[in-house]
Amino acid sequence: MKIEIWSDVMCPFCYIGKRKFEVALEKFAHKDEVEIIWKSYQLNPNMVDQPNKDVYEYLAEVKGQSRDWSIKMHQSVVTSAAEVGLDYRFDIAKVANSFDAHRLIQLAKKHNLGGAMEERLFKAYFTEGALISDANILTKLGTEIGLKEAEVKQVLAGDEFAQEVQLDAYEAQQMGCSGVPFFVFNRKMAVPGAVDSAVFSEVLEEAYQEWMKDNSTLKFDQKDGAICTPEGDCK
């Protein structure tokens, strides 16, 4: 069963949604039959790097408000993150364009490391205050989860995987996605947003039952008949 997750590594609810989904998946009896596919979605493709500003200051300027106002606006998100074991540090989170981070995720997916790359980038941005548009930092994060340094540097130096990032965003729009996180189950059911783990559990069960109907295994008649095998045995 395939589950595709569209997210942006700078989206606070995407990280929270990831944790809530993981809680449901861990309890799911058929979790070993699930394939998770991470998809790219930039909330602000035109974002300009501003490494000298934290998220509090950035939002305050965008909204024409004070820093104190911005801190209060973010408090509910910080609390929600803490409830699922995440430490959000908006006071050190650096404003950056996430395009190259998404290209790095696409590379990681090629090596079956998409989930690990998502997790490392989320933590780097929200907890460690890393500038996730910086090539050196991205190279470090990529090698930490098992990617080869030379390959990461080669990708970041060019435009490889740019088309894949854009295609992911196009696919999401075609399916009616207007924001992230966006969870799609077998291209038949969708869950927008960081819903409760109980909701994810319900959808997992329903999607699995639908998937089983479409992928039912053959039932063999227990009556033995004469057969020939590739090994040349006929009996």
Side-chain angles (χ1 to χ4, degrees):
M1 183 171 77
K2 290 186 178 182
I3 301 175
E4 298 162 290
I5 308 173
W6 274 263
S7 74
D8 192 347
V9 293
M10 295 176 64
C11 163
F13 289 112
C14 289
Y15 200 8
I16 293 171
K18 181 177 185 292
R19 278 293 182 275
K20 290 184 175 182
F21 171 75
E22 288 168 345
V23 169
L25 184 62
E26 184 60 31
K27 297 177 181 178
F28 185 51
H30 309 284
K31 62 182 179 181
D32 292 338
E33 299 175 63
V34 174
E35 178 186 2
I36 307 296
I37 303 171
W38 288 93
K39 296 281 192 173
S40 296
Y41 188 102
Q42 273 194 291
L43 288 170
N44 188 351
N46 299 315
M47 174 72 77
V48 177
D49 289 359
Q50 300 178 60
N52 295 324
K53 293 180 182 177
D54 61 30
V55 171
Y56 288 142
E57 183 178 355
Y58 173 76
L59 183 64
E61 290 184 0
V62 169
K63 298 296 185 180
Q65 299 286 343
S66 68
R67 182 180 177 83
D68 287 341
W69 172 89
S70 182
I71 292 173
K72 290 178 181 178
M73 288 296 294
H74 281 91
Q75 188 54 51
S76 62
V77 180
V78 173
T79 300
S80 295
E83 289 173 352
V84 293
L86 300 176
D87 178 22
Y88 276 12
R89 293 290 308 278
F90 290 118
D91 59 320
I92 61 174
K94 293 178 173 59
V95 178
N97 190 295
S98 64
F99 188 71
D100 281 345
H102 281 291
R103 291 201 298 125
L104 182 58
I105 292 168
Q106 296 290 338
L107 169 62
K109 284 166 60 176
K110 190 178 80 170
H111 297 285
N112 296 317
L113 292 169
M117 196 71 259
E118 285 275 350
E119 177 67 27
R120 189 64 191 92
L121 284 164
F122 274 134
K123 184 178 181 180
Y125 178 73
F126 285 107
T127 302
E128 299 172 353
L131 181 62
I132 61 168
S133 59
D134 182 272
N136 291 328
I137 290 175
L138 290 176
T139 299
K140 177 178 178 294
L141 297 177
T143 55
E144 282 181 12
I145 61 105
L147 296 177
K148 294 181 179 179
E149 181 176 345
E151 187 175 18
V152 173
K153 287 183 175 180
Q154 180 181 338
V155 168
L156 295 176
D159 60 359
E160 194 173 354
F161 296 110
Q163 187 173 357
E164 285 82 352
V165 173
Q166 294 162 350
L167 179 59
D168 278 357
Y170 175 76
E171 282 184 322
Q173 292 166 0
Q174 291 299 107
M175 286 188 287
C177 170
S178 58
V180 286
F182 189 64
F183 299 79
V184 177
F185 299 73
N186 293 320
R187 292 287 172 116
K188 289 187 175 182
M189 302 175 66
V191 175
V195 299
D196 289 339
S197 296
V199 175
F200 280 127
S201 292
E202 292 176 3
V203 177
L204 276 167
E205 292 290 347
E206 185 176 351
Y208 182 77
Q209 294 304 319
E210 288 294 321
W211 178 73
M212 284 296 291
K213 290 178 183 178
D214 296 336
N215 297 273
S216 58
T217 56
L218 290 174
K219 294 181 179 179
F220 291 92
D221 193 319
Q222 293 304 309
K223 296 178 181 179
D224 293 331
I227 61 172
C228 290
T229 69
E231 290 76 21
D233 295 326
C234 293
K235 56 184 178 179

